[in-house]
Amino acid sequence: LLDRRALKRRITFWRLSAILLATVSAAFIFSSHTAFKSGNHHIASLQIKGTIYHDKDRILAIEEARDDPSVKALLIELDSPGGTVVGGETLYEAIRYFADKKPVVAIMGDLATSAGYMTALAAEKIFAQKATITGSIGVLFQTAEITVFLEKLGINVEALKSSPLKGAPGLLERVTPLARKTIRFLVDDISDMFVRMVADRRNLSIDIAKGLSDGKVYTGQMALEHGLIDAIGGRREALKWLKIERNIPDELPD
């Protein structure tokens, strides 16, 4: 009986503690939300991790931060192997739109390649660690076909199309020379767009940008030597740059 009473008292204590903790947490969240709405100055933080794709909500958030008077700058933290071309392009354009009005600085983590590097190009200043892997400037298009496999199984696939390039390339047909030529045009056109971004944002000639756009990756130190980034560093150095070059206090929250 005594044990049961002691257990009951302990359960009551922890229940009351949990309720108190939940109440305090709710009050903290509410007060933080209210402080943000009241216009406290801060640095907007954008973390881009994993595969980049077209994200309308993220684009809208960047645009809203641009027009928010309490946001004084944008700090981008990148750790991405890349993603879709449209994903990288729309993110790049949104950040450039922000940069027309407020400072933007990018920090590369372990990895910032392909569309990840394209995103970094939109920043005014790019920082990376010496061992950061970046670059991979270029475009990749992959396809597959299983016609030989189907033939071995005795399966014959026939498709009736309105034109030779309709649905090409596809799993159920061999890539024709015409289809391969057409895909090459698409890849080259998108690649040229990427090269022009690099040349424009990094103040390089088209020839030098093309030479760096052969798909290879670089360490942060190599990227610095080639002019693909601005400096070696991380969050501390990025905030210091904002303070010295853009007069943004480094004690502002983000």
Side-chain angles (χ1 to χ4, degrees):
L1 180 61
L2 292 175
D3 288 340
R4 287 181 180 179
R5 288 177 178 176
L7 177 61
K8 186 176 180 180
R9 285 196 297 271
R10 287 197 295 271
I11 291 175
T12 301
F13 170 77
W14 287 113
R15 282 177 177 172
L16 290 174
S17 298
I19 293 172
L20 179 62
L21 179 61
T23 303
V24 172
S25 298
F28 176 77
I29 292 172
F30 178 78
S31 64
S32 298
H33 180 72
T34 304
F36 176 78
K37 288 297 184 181
S38 67
N40 285 358
H41 294 170
H42 64 282
I43 298 171
S45 179
L46 176 62
Q47 294 188 348
I48 302 173
K49 298 182 182 295
T51 303
I52 295 173
Y53 58 92
H54 181 45
D55 187 337
K56 293 186 292 184
D57 292 335
R58 182 162 54 190
I59 300 303
L60 180 61
I62 295 172
E63 293 177 352
E64 289 178 347
R66 176 187 185 272
D67 298 327
D68 186 341
S70 67
V71 175
K72 296 304 177 183
L74 177 62
L75 177 67
I76 306 171
E77 296 179 271
L78 281 158
D79 199 345
S80 169
T84 67
V85 177
V86 172
E89 181 186 6
T90 53
L91 191 52
Y92 170 90
E93 294 295 343
I95 295 171
R96 289 306 307 147
Y97 179 66
F98 184 102
D100 287 339
K101 190 174 183 179
K102 300 173 183 178
V104 181
V105 59
I107 307 169
M108 293 181 177
D110 293 320
L111 188 66
T113 55
S114 195
Y117 179 69
M118 181 185 288
T119 300
L121 284 173
E124 293 179 70
K125 194 81 170 181
I126 305 175
F127 289 89
Q129 300 299 323
K130 291 180 181 179
T132 294
I133 300 300
T134 186
S136 189
I137 303 167
V139 179
L140 173 66
F141 181 93
Q142 291 180 316
T143 186
E145 55 96 3
I146 58 174
T147 55
V148 175
F149 174 71
L150 293 178
E151 288 173 0
K152 290 181 178 179
L153 295 177
I155 300 174
N156 181 39
V157 178
E158 184 175 352
L160 299 178
K161 303 193 293 183
S162 60
S163 59
L165 293 176
K166 183 64 176 179
L171 282 173
L172 304 180
E173 61 178 327
R174 288 186 172 88
V175 180
T176 65
L178 179 60
R180 186 174 289 106
K181 182 178 180 180
T182 302
I183 296 167
R184 170 53 62 185
F185 281 140
L186 294 176
V187 170
D188 289 346
D189 184 66
I190 298 173
S191 180
D192 287 343
M193 177 191 73
F194 201 167
V195 169
R196 288 193 298 271
M197 282 183 178
V198 175
D200 177 58
R201 295 298 304 152
R202 301 309 305 166
N203 196 26
L204 301 171
S205 69
I206 288 293
D207 289 339
I208 292 178
K210 283 184 178 179
L212 296 171
S213 304
D214 58 358
K216 74 172 63 166
V217 296
Y218 306 91
T219 64
Q221 187 63 48
M222 293 166 63
L224 178 62
E225 294 171 359
H226 288 301
L228 295 175
I229 66 170
D230 294 295
I232 299 297
R235 184 184 183 84
R236 181 175 60 254
E237 288 76 16
L239 292 176
K240 183 178 179 180
W241 177 83
L242 283 172
K243 180 178 181 179
I244 295 175
E245 299 296 334
R246 293 295 180 267
N247 199 31
I248 305 294
D250 55 2
E251 66 270 13
L252 287 182
D254 58 76

